[in-house]
Amino acid sequence: MEPYVFSSKELFAWRAAQLLKGGYPAKIDWLLDFGGGLSWPSLQSLYIDPSKEVLLKKSLKNLEEIWDRHLADQIPLQYLIGICPWRDFELEISSAALIPRQETECLIDLAISKWQNGFCGRWADLGTGSGVLAVALSRSFKTSIGHAVDCSKDALDLAKKNLNKLAPNSKVYLHSGSWWEPLKPWWGSLNLVLSNPPYIPDSLVDQLEPEVRNHEPLLALSGGDDGLDAVRQIIKGAKKALAPRGWLFIEHHHDQSDDVLEFMYQSGLNDLDFGNDLEGVRRFAIGRNS
């Protein structure tokens, strides 16, 4: 398909016109990048040399239609474009799964830091959604065996697509069900388990941004009255499911760290620790089987 060619003057006029309708500059630049194929560095170079021509993989009219729909219906651009950049890959994304957040990249970094030899034996991703953690784990631990669990068939279908595309040679098995239950045949042999479960208290769901509360799956957001229903279930089953000395990493809400670590302590997990997100907030709980 031939690219669409525009002058820098045309592009900047179009960009200014879209921002007059509403929205944020960072989002329109994201649309130009991942929707139109014009990277942010390339966009910045046009300010330096406005004589350059612009090559886009979509027409400005098509991009404007996407932008208008984003503003009118408050649909996340990731869903409208169908992709989400994360770490070193671009994930296929849909409304079947939560949009991966940049802060969750820290969860992968924490896990990798415990297994620096590139092999962890057998790992699991509980509540895989789009498969983002499973993809990252399989790319980091290429010879390890992985298990990705979700109770949503649509999410598992999406995870399968991403694993086939982004980690085609990985040994990852997909399981339908709730948390540990589908992995019962492997209880006692899981050396590394990650989970980014729903953890938003029900009372706060309605206070989320419209893009989130109206379009991302409630199943992946709502964590019950205090936001910790899923977290409790995961920690409760960890002693049986983890291998001896196996690690559990859980992402949680910004104010839940003390409670989650207390649950881990009460369940008999050892080597308790926490990890910070990109803003320095305690966002991840870490525990190890005895």
Side-chain angles (χ1 to χ4, degrees):
M1 180 179 175
E2 292 293 323
Y4 296 88
V5 183
F6 304 93
S7 68
S8 297
K9 183 178 180 181
E10 287 176 303
L11 177 73
F12 289 135
W14 177 88
R15 182 179 181 276
Q18 304 318 305
L19 288 173
L20 285 175
K21 301 175 184 177
Y24 300 98
K27 288 192 174 184
I28 198 72
D29 294 344
W30 189 98
L31 177 59
L32 284 169
D33 189 348
F34 296 100
L38 179 66
S39 68
W40 191 84
S42 297
L43 176 62
Q44 300 311 301
S45 72
L46 296 178
Y47 289 101
I48 299 172
D49 183 5
S51 65
K52 290 182 177 179
E53 286 189 329
V54 182
L55 303 180
L56 298 178
K57 59 185 182 183
K58 292 182 185 293
S59 69
L60 291 179
K61 180 180 180 182
N62 189 194
L63 292 174
E64 183 171 352
E65 290 171 350
I66 295 171
W67 184 249
D68 287 345
R69 191 175 175 201
H70 165 67
L71 294 178
D73 300 327
Q74 299 173 316
I75 302 173
L77 288 172
Q78 292 92 329
Y79 287 160
L80 293 173
I81 296 297
I83 63 171
C84 178
W86 203 82
R87 285 180 78 83
D88 58 342
F89 53 84
E90 287 185 7
L91 199 74
E92 182 176 333
I93 195 70
S94 75
S95 58
L98 200 70
I99 296 171
R101 269 57 171 182
Q102 189 178 9
E103 64 203 16
T104 306
E105 295 183 18
C106 299
L107 191 61
I108 293 294
D109 293 331
L110 288 167
I112 292 173
S113 71
K114 301 298 184 183
W115 301 91
Q116 295 182 4
N117 64 357
F119 178 77
C120 69
R122 191 181 299 274
W123 56 261
D125 169 21
L126 303 183
T128 192
S130 63
V132 60
L133 294 180
V135 168
L137 287 171
S138 60
R139 288 161 70 100
S140 299
F141 302 117
K142 293 183 172 63
T143 58
S144 299
I145 297 173
H147 300 269
V149 177
D150 207 286
C151 62
S152 166
K153 180 185 180 300
D154 291 340
L156 285 174
D157 289 343
L158 181 61
K160 183 177 182 179
K161 288 182 183 179
N162 283 316
L163 283 161
N164 288 341
K165 178 182 178 181
L166 300 169
N169 298 317
S170 62
K171 299 175 183 178
V172 182
Y173 300 94
L174 299 171
H175 306 273
S176 177
S178 178
W179 309 123
W180 301 108
E181 193 59 33
L183 303 182
K184 199 166 185 178
W186 298 278
W187 284 5
S189 66
L190 300 169
N191 297 304
L192 173 64
V193 178
L194 272 62
S195 184
N196 180 15
Y199 54 68
I200 305 296
D202 288 349
S203 61
L204 298 182
V205 170
D206 286 341
Q207 299 177 32
L208 296 173
E209 293 292 324
E211 285 186 35
V212 178
R213 71 171 185 263
N214 294 337
H215 298 285
E216 297 197 58
L218 182 63
L219 187 66
L221 294 169
S222 177
D225 288 344
D226 62 356
L228 294 170
D229 285 359
V231 172
R232 288 191 191 90
Q233 291 182 54
I234 293 168
I235 294 175
K236 184 179 179 181
K239 285 290 289 182
K240 288 183 179 180
L242 289 174
R245 308 294 289 163
W247 289 99
L248 174 65
F249 295 78
I250 298 180
E251 181 171 334
H252 53 71
H253 205 227
H254 64 83
D255 58 356
Q256 294 171 343
S257 180
D258 289 342
D259 288 336
V260 177
L261 289 173
E262 178 63 22
F263 295 152
M264 285 186 166
Y265 173 76
Q266 291 176 2
S267 74
L269 297 183
N270 299 323
D271 297 332
L272 303 183
D273 201 356
F274 63 86
N276 296 331
D277 63 16
L278 298 171
E279 296 182 353
V281 176
R282 291 169 60 166
R283 179 74 68 166
F284 312 99
I286 305 166
R288 196 178 198 183
N289 204 3
S290 58

